[in-house]
Amino acid sequence: MSRQHQFKAREENILAMAEQLLLESGDGDITLDSLADQLDLAKGTLYKHFSSKDELYLRIIIRYEEQLFEINRIDDCPSAGVARMIFQQLFNPQKAMLLNQIEERLAASVTGLNRLFGELYDIRRQRMKRLIDIISAYLQEQHSNLSTRDYLSSIWAMGQGGAGLLNSSFYQRYLGRRDTLRYAFVQQMLELPSHYPAADDEVMDEDMQELVEQIDTESEEHRNTSY
């Protein structure tokens, strides 16, 4: 294995272990000393990969976003794609909630990470375009007049709200089986378009192109930005 491949492999191990420690910590924070100890590395070795703990956190979030994008790129039926969009947040609610909280904290208080935030948002925009394609195909399949924007927002709200509920130690006492609740959430979202039937001559999905153009414009602005 070349040095470059060894470097990348070690970096992946660092990210995976840091994410595991974050989830185990419960408070969204770890020390680089504990991370180095777990990996049996010198603390200085970590700084060869990440200039700060905040950069490490943001790289974990980028890695997570890349993983979601790869899942969304699976090319099968639209209903399966919609179901995966919801399951992504509901299968590991602690991770979804925690990384979102860390991202909001970094965006509000940390400087010097503009380039990495730009990378994160670029991946997210690419994933958003893929989600729009999936949603549009499903709405057309269901002959629904529900807009892409409203359906995407509904799925996001269900995923975020469901993750918060599943991640709450208080509500878990009353939920019963988590798998049946997840199934109920997915069923509700799959059935939602049927409550907005389109007339035969009605134009569906009018705002899809507007959403795509907005994403393309922001992507172009990102490519032309110097960090």
PDB file of all heavy atoms in Angstrom, residues 97-133:
ATOM      1  N   MET A  97     -29.534  13.530  14.922  1.00  0.00           N
ATOM      2  CA  MET A  97     -29.753  14.690  15.774  1.00  0.00           C
ATOM      3  C   MET A  97     -28.429  15.296  16.238  1.00  0.00           C
ATOM      4  O   MET A  97     -28.256  16.520  16.239  1.00  0.00           O
ATOM      5  CB  MET A  97     -30.609  14.298  16.979  1.00  0.00           C
ATOM      6  CG  MET A  97     -31.986  13.775  16.644  1.00  0.00           C
ATOM      7  SD  MET A  97     -33.065  15.018  15.907  1.00  0.00           S
ATOM      8  CE  MET A  97     -33.307  16.122  17.292  1.00  0.00           C
ATOM      9  N   LEU A  98     -27.496  14.449  16.636  1.00  0.00           N
ATOM     10  CA  LEU A  98     -26.232  14.927  17.174  1.00  0.00           C
ATOM     11  C   LEU A  98     -25.423  15.686  16.130  1.00  0.00           C
ATOM     12  O   LEU A  98     -24.922  16.791  16.397  1.00  0.00           O
ATOM     13  CB  LEU A  98     -25.420  13.756  17.719  1.00  0.00           C
ATOM     14  CG  LEU A  98     -24.044  14.109  18.309  1.00  0.00           C
ATOM     15  CD1 LEU A  98     -24.193  15.048  19.489  1.00  0.00           C
ATOM     16  CD2 LEU A  98     -23.301  12.845  18.714  1.00  0.00           C
ATOM     17  N   LEU A  99     -25.294  15.118  14.931  1.00  0.00           N
ATOM     18  CA  LEU A  99     -24.503  15.783  13.903  1.00  0.00           C
ATOM     19  C   LEU A  99     -25.155  17.083  13.456  1.00  0.00           C
ATOM     20  O   LEU A  99     -24.467  18.050  13.123  1.00  0.00           O
ATOM     21  CB  LEU A  99     -24.285  14.844  12.714  1.00  0.00           C
ATOM     22  CG  LEU A  99     -23.432  13.604  12.995  1.00  0.00           C
ATOM     23  CD1 LEU A  99     -23.142  12.842  11.703  1.00  0.00           C
ATOM     24  CD2 LEU A  99     -22.129  13.969  13.697  1.00  0.00           C
ATOM     25  N   ASN A 100     -26.483  17.119  13.452  1.00  0.00           N
ATOM     26  CA  ASN A 100     -27.167  18.364  13.120  1.00  0.00           C
ATOM     27  C   ASN A 100     -26.880  19.441  14.170  1.00  0.00           C
ATOM     28  O   ASN A 100     -26.647  20.613  13.832  1.00  0.00           O
ATOM     29  CB  ASN A 100     -28.667  18.117  13.021  1.00  0.00           C
ATOM     30  CG  ASN A 100     -29.429  19.354  12.600  1.00  0.00           C
ATOM     31  OD1 ASN A 100     -29.251  19.873  11.497  1.00  0.00           O
ATOM     32  ND2 ASN A 100     -30.288  19.853  13.464  1.00  0.00           N
ATOM     33  N   GLN A 101     -26.884  19.065  15.439  1.00  0.00           N
ATOM     34  CA  GLN A 101     -26.589  20.014  16.515  1.00  0.00           C
ATOM     35  C   GLN A 101     -25.154  20.528  16.421  1.00  0.00           C
ATOM     36  O   GLN A 101     -24.898  21.722  16.610  1.00  0.00           O
ATOM     37  CB  GLN A 101     -26.824  19.343  17.871  1.00  0.00           C
ATOM     38  CG  GLN A 101     -28.283  19.050  18.175  1.00  0.00           C
ATOM     39  CD  GLN A 101     -28.454  18.123  19.372  1.00  0.00           C
ATOM     40  OE1 GLN A 101     -27.483  17.774  20.054  1.00  0.00           O
ATOM     41  NE2 GLN A 101     -29.687  17.717  19.632  1.00  0.00           N
ATOM     42  N   ILE A 102     -24.220  19.621  16.123  1.00  0.00           N
ATOM     43  CA  ILE A 102     -22.818  20.032  16.007  1.00  0.00           C
ATOM     44  C   ILE A 102     -22.643  20.983  14.826  1.00  0.00           C
ATOM     45  O   ILE A 102     -21.939  22.001  14.928  1.00  0.00           O
ATOM     46  CB  ILE A 102     -21.904  18.801  15.854  1.00  0.00           C
ATOM     47  CG1 ILE A 102     -21.904  17.978  17.140  1.00  0.00           C
ATOM     48  CG2 ILE A 102     -20.478  19.219  15.504  1.00  0.00           C
ATOM     49  CD1 ILE A 102     -21.155  16.664  17.027  1.00  0.00           C
ATOM     50  N   GLU A 103     -23.290  20.687  13.704  1.00  0.00           N
ATOM     51  CA  GLU A 103     -23.191  21.564  12.533  1.00  0.00           C
ATOM     52  C   GLU A 103     -23.720  22.961  12.838  1.00  0.00           C
ATOM     53  O   GLU A 103     -23.103  23.973  12.476  1.00  0.00           O
ATOM     54  CB  GLU A 103     -23.963  20.966  11.357  1.00  0.00           C
ATOM     55  CG  GLU A 103     -23.900  21.831  10.112  1.00  0.00           C
ATOM     56  CD  GLU A 103     -24.718  21.287   8.958  1.00  0.00           C
ATOM     57  OE1 GLU A 103     -25.038  20.091   8.960  1.00  0.00           O
ATOM     58  OE2 GLU A 103     -25.039  22.075   8.052  1.00  0.00           O
ATOM     59  N   GLU A 104     -24.859  23.039  13.506  1.00  0.00           N
ATOM     60  CA  GLU A 104     -25.422  24.342  13.854  1.00  0.00           C
ATOM     61  C   GLU A 104     -24.489  25.109  14.785  1.00  0.00           C
ATOM     62  O   GLU A 104     -24.323  26.329  14.649  1.00  0.00           O
ATOM     63  CB  GLU A 104     -26.791  24.161  14.507  1.00  0.00           C
ATOM     64  CG  GLU A 104     -27.865  23.679  13.544  1.00  0.00           C
ATOM     65  CD  GLU A 104     -29.229  23.587  14.189  1.00  0.00           C
ATOM     66  OE1 GLU A 104     -29.309  23.785  15.426  1.00  0.00           O
ATOM     67  OE2 GLU A 104     -30.215  23.319  13.478  1.00  0.00           O
ATOM     68  N   ARG A 105     -23.870  24.401  15.712  1.00  0.00           N
ATOM     69  CA  ARG A 105     -22.936  25.046  16.632  1.00  0.00           C
ATOM     70  C   ARG A 105     -21.713  25.578  15.898  1.00  0.00           C
ATOM     71  O   ARG A 105     -21.279  26.724  16.127  1.00  0.00           O
ATOM     72  CB  ARG A 105     -22.517  24.056  17.707  1.00  0.00           C
ATOM     73  CG  ARG A 105     -21.628  24.652  18.800  1.00  0.00           C
ATOM     74  CD  ARG A 105     -21.233  23.582  19.796  1.00  0.00           C
ATOM     75  NE  ARG A 105     -20.213  22.698  19.256  1.00  0.00           N
ATOM     76  CZ  ARG A 105     -20.073  21.432  19.618  1.00  0.00           C
ATOM     77  NH1 ARG A 105     -20.903  20.872  20.468  1.00  0.00           N
ATOM     78  NH2 ARG A 105     -19.097  20.697  19.104  1.00  0.00           N
ATOM     79  N   LEU A 106     -21.172  24.788  14.980  1.00  0.00           N
ATOM     80  CA  LEU A 106     -20.005  25.222  14.225  1.00  0.00           C
ATOM     81  C   LEU A 106     -20.335  26.395  13.314  1.00  0.00           C
ATOM     82  O   LEU A 106     -19.558  27.354  13.197  1.00  0.00           O
ATOM     83  CB  LEU A 106     -19.460  24.057  13.392  1.00  0.00           C
ATOM     84  CG  LEU A 106     -18.866  22.873  14.150  1.00  0.00           C
ATOM     85  CD1 LEU A 106     -18.475  21.767  13.178  1.00  0.00           C
ATOM     86  CD2 LEU A 106     -17.664  23.287  14.987  1.00  0.00           C
ATOM     87  N   ALA A 107     -21.486  26.339  12.658  1.00  0.00           N
ATOM     88  CA  ALA A 107     -21.879  27.402  11.737  1.00  0.00           C
ATOM     89  C   ALA A 107     -22.086  28.724  12.466  1.00  0.00           C
ATOM     90  O   ALA A 107     -21.845  29.803  11.904  1.00  0.00           O
ATOM     91  CB  ALA A 107     -23.158  27.005  10.997  1.00  0.00           C
ATOM     92  N   ALA A 108     -22.506  28.656  13.725  1.00  0.00           N
ATOM     93  CA  ALA A 108     -22.828  29.870  14.476  1.00  0.00           C
ATOM     94  C   ALA A 108     -21.624  30.489  15.176  1.00  0.00           C
ATOM     95  O   ALA A 108     -21.625  31.700  15.440  1.00  0.00           O
ATOM     96  CB  ALA A 108     -23.914  29.570  15.511  1.00  0.00           C
ATOM     97  N   SER A 109     -20.597  29.679  15.455  1.00  0.00           N
ATOM     98  CA  SER A 109     -19.560  30.196  16.338  1.00  0.00           C
ATOM     99  C   SER A 109     -18.124  30.012  15.865  1.00  0.00           C
ATOM    100  O   SER A 109     -17.210  30.604  16.453  1.00  0.00           O
ATOM    101  CB  SER A 109     -19.698  29.530  17.726  1.00  0.00           C
ATOM    102  OG  SER A 109     -19.533  28.114  17.615  1.00  0.00           O
ATOM    103  N   VAL A 110     -17.900  29.243  14.819  1.00  0.00           N
ATOM    104  CA  VAL A 110     -16.534  28.905  14.432  1.00  0.00           C
ATOM    105  C   VAL A 110     -16.154  29.631  13.146  1.00  0.00           C
ATOM    106  O   VAL A 110     -16.963  29.734  12.219  1.00  0.00           O
ATOM    107  CB  VAL A 110     -16.387  27.375  14.239  1.00  0.00           C
ATOM    108  CG1 VAL A 110     -14.988  27.037  13.739  1.00  0.00           C
ATOM    109  CG2 VAL A 110     -16.653  26.660  15.555  1.00  0.00           C
ATOM    110  N   THR A 111     -14.940  30.144  13.096  1.00  0.00           N
ATOM    111  CA  THR A 111     -14.427  30.791  11.889  1.00  0.00           C
ATOM    112  C   THR A 111     -13.291  29.953  11.302  1.00  0.00           C
ATOM    113  O   THR A 111     -12.715  29.102  11.978  1.00  0.00           O
ATOM    114  CB  THR A 111     -13.911  32.199  12.204  1.00  0.00           C
ATOM    115  OG1 THR A 111     -12.854  32.101  13.190  1.00  0.00           O
ATOM    116  CG2 THR A 111     -15.030  33.082  12.743  1.00  0.00           C
ATOM    117  N   GLY A 112     -12.977  30.217  10.040  1.00  0.00           N
ATOM    118  CA  GLY A 112     -11.866  29.536   9.389  1.00  0.00           C
ATOM    119  C   GLY A 112     -12.207  28.220   8.731  1.00  0.00           C
ATOM    120  O   GLY A 112     -11.314  27.523   8.244  1.00  0.00           O
ATOM    121  N   LEU A 113     -13.511  27.877   8.697  1.00  0.00           N
ATOM    122  CA  LEU A 113     -13.916  26.605   8.091  1.00  0.00           C
ATOM    123  C   LEU A 113     -14.778  26.820   6.843  1.00  0.00           C
ATOM    124  O   LEU A 113     -15.520  25.927   6.445  1.00  0.00           O
ATOM    125  CB  LEU A 113     -14.692  25.758   9.110  1.00  0.00           C
ATOM    126  CG  LEU A 113     -13.912  25.291  10.344  1.00  0.00           C
ATOM    127  CD1 LEU A 113     -14.827  24.516  11.286  1.00  0.00           C
ATOM    128  CD2 LEU A 113     -12.718  24.425   9.951  1.00  0.00           C
ATOM    129  N   ASN A 114     -14.664  27.986   6.233  1.00  0.00           N
ATOM    130  CA  ASN A 114     -15.515  28.304   5.080  1.00  0.00           C
ATOM    131  C   ASN A 114     -15.347  27.313   3.936  1.00  0.00           C
ATOM    132  O   ASN A 114     -16.324  26.927   3.292  1.00  0.00           O
ATOM    133  CB  ASN A 114     -15.218  29.718   4.573  1.00  0.00           C
ATOM    134  CG  ASN A 114     -15.714  30.788   5.528  1.00  0.00           C
ATOM    135  OD1 ASN A 114     -16.442  30.481   6.466  1.00  0.00           O
ATOM    136  ND2 ASN A 114     -15.312  32.023   5.301  1.00  0.00           N
ATOM    137  N   ARG A 115     -14.106  26.909   3.686  1.00  0.00           N
ATOM    138  CA  ARG A 115     -13.870  25.972   2.574  1.00  0.00           C
ATOM    139  C   ARG A 115     -14.573  24.649   2.829  1.00  0.00           C
ATOM    140  O   ARG A 115     -15.201  24.086   1.931  1.00  0.00           O
ATOM    141  CB  ARG A 115     -12.365  25.745   2.388  1.00  0.00           C
ATOM    142  CG  ARG A 115     -12.029  24.800   1.217  1.00  0.00           C
ATOM    143  CD  ARG A 115     -10.544  24.502   1.157  1.00  0.00           C
ATOM    144  NE  ARG A 115     -10.066  23.847   2.362  1.00  0.00           N
ATOM    145  CZ  ARG A 115     -10.209  22.535   2.613  1.00  0.00           C
ATOM    146  NH1 ARG A 115     -10.866  21.758   1.741  1.00  0.00           N
ATOM    147  NH2 ARG A 115      -9.729  22.003   3.719  1.00  0.00           N
ATOM    148  N   LEU A 116     -14.480  24.145   4.057  1.00  0.00           N
ATOM    149  CA  LEU A 116     -15.114  22.866   4.370  1.00  0.00           C
ATOM    150  C   LEU A 116     -16.634  22.996   4.387  1.00  0.00           C
ATOM    151  O   LEU A 116     -17.343  22.073   3.961  1.00  0.00           O
ATOM    152  CB  LEU A 116     -14.607  22.340   5.714  1.00  0.00           C
ATOM    153  CG  LEU A 116     -13.192  21.752   5.696  1.00  0.00           C
ATOM    154  CD1 LEU A 116     -12.769  21.355   7.100  1.00  0.00           C
ATOM    155  CD2 LEU A 116     -13.110  20.568   4.762  1.00  0.00           C
ATOM    156  N   PHE A 117     -17.150  24.112   4.877  1.00  0.00           N
ATOM    157  CA  PHE A 117     -18.591  24.317   4.808  1.00  0.00           C
ATOM    158  C   PHE A 117     -19.039  24.373   3.352  1.00  0.00           C
ATOM    159  O   PHE A 117     -20.112  23.850   2.998  1.00  0.00           O
ATOM    160  CB  PHE A 117     -18.996  25.596   5.539  1.00  0.00           C
ATOM    161  CG  PHE A 117     -19.358  25.378   6.984  1.00  0.00           C
ATOM    162  CD1 PHE A 117     -18.543  25.857   7.998  1.00  0.00           C
ATOM    163  CD2 PHE A 117     -20.507  24.678   7.329  1.00  0.00           C
ATOM    164  CE1 PHE A 117     -18.874  25.647   9.333  1.00  0.00           C
ATOM    165  CE2 PHE A 117     -20.846  24.459   8.652  1.00  0.00           C
ATOM    166  CZ  PHE A 117     -20.026  24.948   9.662  1.00  0.00           C
ATOM    167  N   GLY A 118     -18.232  25.008   2.495  1.00  0.00           N
ATOM    168  CA  GLY A 118     -18.557  25.029   1.075  1.00  0.00           C
ATOM    169  C   GLY A 118     -18.599  23.636   0.482  1.00  0.00           C
ATOM    170  O   GLY A 118     -19.470  23.302  -0.330  1.00  0.00           O
ATOM    171  N   GLU A 119     -17.663  22.782   0.901  1.00  0.00           N
ATOM    172  CA  GLU A 119     -17.640  21.386   0.441  1.00  0.00           C
ATOM    173  C   GLU A 119     -18.883  20.643   0.917  1.00  0.00           C
ATOM    174  O   GLU A 119     -19.508  19.893   0.158  1.00  0.00           O
ATOM    175  CB  GLU A 119     -16.381  20.701   0.961  1.00  0.00           C
ATOM    176  CG  GLU A 119     -16.214  19.264   0.507  1.00  0.00           C
ATOM    177  CD  GLU A 119     -14.934  18.630   1.032  1.00  0.00           C
ATOM    178  OE1 GLU A 119     -13.986  19.363   1.375  1.00  0.00           O
ATOM    179  OE2 GLU A 119     -14.887  17.378   1.104  1.00  0.00           O
ATOM    180  N   LEU A 120     -19.248  20.858   2.176  1.00  0.00           N
ATOM    181  CA  LEU A 120     -20.442  20.216   2.729  1.00  0.00           C
ATOM    182  C   LEU A 120     -21.689  20.627   1.967  1.00  0.00           C
ATOM    183  O   LEU A 120     -22.505  19.779   1.572  1.00  0.00           O
ATOM    184  CB  LEU A 120     -20.585  20.594   4.205  1.00  0.00           C
ATOM    185  CG  LEU A 120     -21.902  20.188   4.888  1.00  0.00           C
ATOM    186  CD1 LEU A 120     -22.049  18.665   4.943  1.00  0.00           C
ATOM    187  CD2 LEU A 120     -21.981  20.783   6.294  1.00  0.00           C
ATOM    188  N   TYR A 121     -21.848  21.919   1.731  1.00  0.00           N
ATOM    189  CA  TYR A 121     -23.054  22.408   1.063  1.00  0.00           C
ATOM    190  C   TYR A 121     -23.103  21.962  -0.395  1.00  0.00           C
ATOM    191  O   TYR A 121     -24.185  21.735  -0.950  1.00  0.00           O
ATOM    192  CB  TYR A 121     -23.127  23.931   1.146  1.00  0.00           C
ATOM    193  CG  TYR A 121     -23.238  24.464   2.561  1.00  0.00           C
ATOM    194  CD1 TYR A 121     -22.790  25.733   2.894  1.00  0.00           C
ATOM    195  CD2 TYR A 121     -23.774  23.677   3.581  1.00  0.00           C
ATOM    196  CE1 TYR A 121     -22.884  26.215   4.190  1.00  0.00           C
ATOM    197  CE2 TYR A 121     -23.867  24.149   4.877  1.00  0.00           C
ATOM    198  CZ  TYR A 121     -23.423  25.412   5.184  1.00  0.00           C
ATOM    199  OH  TYR A 121     -23.520  25.891   6.465  1.00  0.00           O
ATOM    200  N   ASP A 122     -21.934  21.810  -1.024  1.00  0.00           N
ATOM    201  CA  ASP A 122     -21.919  21.346  -2.414  1.00  0.00           C
ATOM    202  C   ASP A 122     -22.404  19.901  -2.496  1.00  0.00           C
ATOM    203  O   ASP A 122     -23.201  19.552  -3.375  1.00  0.00           O
ATOM    204  CB  ASP A 122     -20.502  21.464  -2.976  1.00  0.00           C
ATOM    205  CG  ASP A 122     -20.458  21.192  -4.472  1.00  0.00           C
ATOM    206  OD1 ASP A 122     -21.240  21.825  -5.206  1.00  0.00           O
ATOM    207  OD2 ASP A 122     -19.656  20.352  -4.909  1.00  0.00           O
ATOM    208  N   ILE A 123     -21.934  19.043  -1.584  1.00  0.00           N
ATOM    209  CA  ILE A 123     -22.409  17.654  -1.556  1.00  0.00           C
ATOM    210  C   ILE A 123     -23.903  17.621  -1.268  1.00  0.00           C
ATOM    211  O   ILE A 123     -24.655  16.854  -1.875  1.00  0.00           O
ATOM    212  CB  ILE A 123     -21.644  16.845  -0.491  1.00  0.00           C
ATOM    213  CG1 ILE A 123     -20.167  16.783  -0.836  1.00  0.00           C
ATOM    214  CG2 ILE A 123     -22.224  15.427  -0.372  1.00  0.00           C
ATOM    215  CD1 ILE A 123     -19.310  16.264   0.295  1.00  0.00           C
ATOM    216  N   ARG A 124     -24.335  18.465  -0.353  1.00  0.00           N
ATOM    217  CA  ARG A 124     -25.750  18.502   0.025  1.00  0.00           C
ATOM    218  C   ARG A 124     -26.623  18.956  -1.141  1.00  0.00           C
ATOM    219  O   ARG A 124     -27.732  18.451  -1.333  1.00  0.00           O
ATOM    220  CB  ARG A 124     -25.926  19.416   1.236  1.00  0.00           C
ATOM    221  CG  ARG A 124     -27.273  19.320   1.913  1.00  0.00           C
ATOM    222  CD  ARG A 124     -27.223  19.967   3.274  1.00  0.00           C
ATOM    223  NE  ARG A 124     -26.504  19.160   4.244  1.00  0.00           N
ATOM    224  CZ  ARG A 124     -26.058  19.624   5.405  1.00  0.00           C
ATOM    225  NH1 ARG A 124     -26.243  20.883   5.743  1.00  0.00           N
ATOM    226  NH2 ARG A 124     -25.428  18.806   6.239  1.00  0.00           N
ATOM    227  N   ARG A 125     -26.121  19.916  -1.919  1.00  0.00           N
ATOM    228  CA  ARG A 125     -26.891  20.357  -3.093  1.00  0.00           C
ATOM    229  C   ARG A 125     -26.998  19.242  -4.127  1.00  0.00           C
ATOM    230  O   ARG A 125     -28.052  19.060  -4.747  1.00  0.00           O
ATOM    231  CB  ARG A 125     -26.254  21.602  -3.697  1.00  0.00           C
ATOM    232  CG  ARG A 125     -26.582  22.899  -2.964  1.00  0.00           C
ATOM    233  CD  ARG A 125     -26.105  24.107  -3.734  1.00  0.00           C
ATOM    234  NE  ARG A 125     -24.664  24.201  -3.753  1.00  0.00           N
ATOM    235  CZ  ARG A 125     -23.947  24.910  -2.874  1.00  0.00           C
ATOM    236  NH1 ARG A 125     -24.563  25.565  -1.906  1.00  0.00           N
ATOM    237  NH2 ARG A 125     -22.630  24.963  -2.971  1.00  0.00           N
ATOM    238  N   GLN A 126     -25.912  18.489  -4.320  1.00  0.00           N
ATOM    239  CA  GLN A 126     -25.967  17.355  -5.247  1.00  0.00           C
ATOM    240  C   GLN A 126     -26.991  16.321  -4.775  1.00  0.00           C
ATOM    241  O   GLN A 126     -27.753  15.770  -5.574  1.00  0.00           O
ATOM    242  CB  GLN A 126     -24.589  16.707  -5.359  1.00  0.00           C
ATOM    243  CG  GLN A 126     -23.529  17.573  -6.008  1.00  0.00           C
ATOM    244  CD  GLN A 126     -22.190  16.866  -6.047  1.00  0.00           C
ATOM    245  OE1 GLN A 126     -22.072  15.748  -6.560  1.00  0.00           O
ATOM    246  NE2 GLN A 126     -21.167  17.488  -5.493  1.00  0.00           N
ATOM    247  N   ARG A 127     -26.996  16.065  -3.476  1.00  0.00           N
ATOM    248  CA  ARG A 127     -27.956  15.104  -2.926  1.00  0.00           C
ATOM    249  C   ARG A 127     -29.380  15.633  -3.060  1.00  0.00           C
ATOM    250  O   ARG A 127     -30.306  14.873  -3.360  1.00  0.00           O
ATOM    251  CB  ARG A 127     -27.637  14.806  -1.454  1.00  0.00           C
ATOM    252  CG  ARG A 127     -28.510  13.701  -0.872  1.00  0.00           C
ATOM    253  CD  ARG A 127     -27.933  13.169   0.418  1.00  0.00           C
ATOM    254  NE  ARG A 127     -28.115  14.050   1.538  1.00  0.00           N
ATOM    255  CZ  ARG A 127     -29.159  13.985   2.368  1.00  0.00           C
ATOM    256  NH1 ARG A 127     -30.113  13.091   2.199  1.00  0.00           N
ATOM    257  NH2 ARG A 127     -29.252  14.817   3.384  1.00  0.00           N
ATOM    258  N   MET A 128     -29.541  16.938  -2.863  1.00  0.00           N
ATOM    259  CA  MET A 128     -30.867  17.537  -2.993  1.00  0.00           C
ATOM    260  C   MET A 128     -31.416  17.352  -4.405  1.00  0.00           C
ATOM    261  O   MET A 128     -32.593  17.040  -4.585  1.00  0.00           O
ATOM    262  CB  MET A 128     -30.799  19.027  -2.655  1.00  0.00           C
ATOM    263  CG  MET A 128     -32.143  19.731  -2.709  1.00  0.00           C
ATOM    264  SD  MET A 128     -33.215  19.319  -1.319  1.00  0.00           S
ATOM    265  CE  MET A 128     -32.462  20.290  -0.036  1.00  0.00           C
ATOM    266  N   LYS A 129     -30.577  17.518  -5.417  1.00  0.00           N
ATOM    267  CA  LYS A 129     -31.032  17.317  -6.788  1.00  0.00           C
ATOM    268  C   LYS A 129     -31.475  15.876  -7.004  1.00  0.00           C
ATOM    269  O   LYS A 129     -32.464  15.620  -7.710  1.00  0.00           O
ATOM    270  CB  LYS A 129     -29.920  17.691  -7.773  1.00  0.00           C
ATOM    271  CG  LYS A 129     -29.655  19.189  -7.856  1.00  0.00           C
ATOM    272  CD  LYS A 129     -28.584  19.520  -8.872  1.00  0.00           C
ATOM    273  CE  LYS A 129     -29.064  19.309 -10.293  1.00  0.00           C
ATOM    274  NZ  LYS A 129     -28.085  19.808 -11.294  1.00  0.00           N
ATOM    275  N   ARG A 130     -30.757  14.944  -6.407  1.00  0.00           N
ATOM    276  CA  ARG A 130     -31.143  13.533  -6.524  1.00  0.00           C
ATOM    277  C   ARG A 130     -32.472  13.277  -5.822  1.00  0.00           C
ATOM    278  O   ARG A 130     -33.343  12.568  -6.349  1.00  0.00           O
ATOM    279  CB  ARG A 130     -30.044  12.647  -5.932  1.00  0.00           C
ATOM    280  CG  ARG A 130     -30.385  11.165  -5.878  1.00  0.00           C
ATOM    281  CD  ARG A 130     -30.721  10.601  -7.235  1.00  0.00           C
ATOM    282  NE  ARG A 130     -31.096   9.200  -7.132  1.00  0.00           N
ATOM    283  CZ  ARG A 130     -31.810   8.558  -8.037  1.00  0.00           C
ATOM    284  NH1 ARG A 130     -32.231   9.188  -9.130  1.00  0.00           N
ATOM    285  NH2 ARG A 130     -32.110   7.289  -7.872  1.00  0.00           N
ATOM    286  N   LEU A 131     -32.668  13.887  -4.655  1.00  0.00           N
ATOM    287  CA  LEU A 131     -33.923  13.724  -3.930  1.00  0.00           C
ATOM    288  C   LEU A 131     -35.089  14.313  -4.713  1.00  0.00           C
ATOM    289  O   LEU A 131     -36.192  13.759  -4.722  1.00  0.00           O
ATOM    290  CB  LEU A 131     -33.831  14.390  -2.552  1.00  0.00           C
ATOM    291  CG  LEU A 131     -32.760  13.851  -1.601  1.00  0.00           C
ATOM    292  CD1 LEU A 131     -32.840  14.563  -0.253  1.00  0.00           C
ATOM    293  CD2 LEU A 131     -32.882  12.352  -1.410  1.00  0.00           C
ATOM    294  N   ILE A 132     -34.847  15.443  -5.374  1.00  0.00           N
ATOM    295  CA  ILE A 132     -35.892  16.062  -6.187  1.00  0.00           C
ATOM    296  C   ILE A 132     -36.308  15.132  -7.318  1.00  0.00           C
ATOM    297  O   ILE A 132     -37.493  14.983  -7.619  1.00  0.00           O
ATOM    298  CB  ILE A 132     -35.407  17.416  -6.734  1.00  0.00           C
ATOM    299  CG1 ILE A 132     -35.312  18.438  -5.595  1.00  0.00           C
ATOM    300  CG2 ILE A 132     -36.344  17.941  -7.828  1.00  0.00           C
ATOM    301  CD1 ILE A 132     -34.619  19.733  -5.986  1.00  0.00           C
ATOM    302  N   ASP A 133     -35.330  14.477  -7.947  1.00  0.00           N
ATOM    303  CA  ASP A 133     -35.647  13.522  -9.022  1.00  0.00           C
ATOM    304  C   ASP A 133     -36.510  12.377  -8.495  1.00  0.00           C
ATOM    305  O   ASP A 133     -37.487  11.966  -9.139  1.00  0.00           O
ATOM    306  CB  ASP A 133     -34.358  12.956  -9.623  1.00  0.00           C
ATOM    307  CG  ASP A 133     -33.617  13.971 -10.481  1.00  0.00           C
ATOM    308  OD1 ASP A 133     -34.246  14.962 -10.897  1.00  0.00           O
ATOM    309  OD2 ASP A 133     -32.412  13.770 -10.718  1.00  0.00           O
TER     310      ASP A 133
END
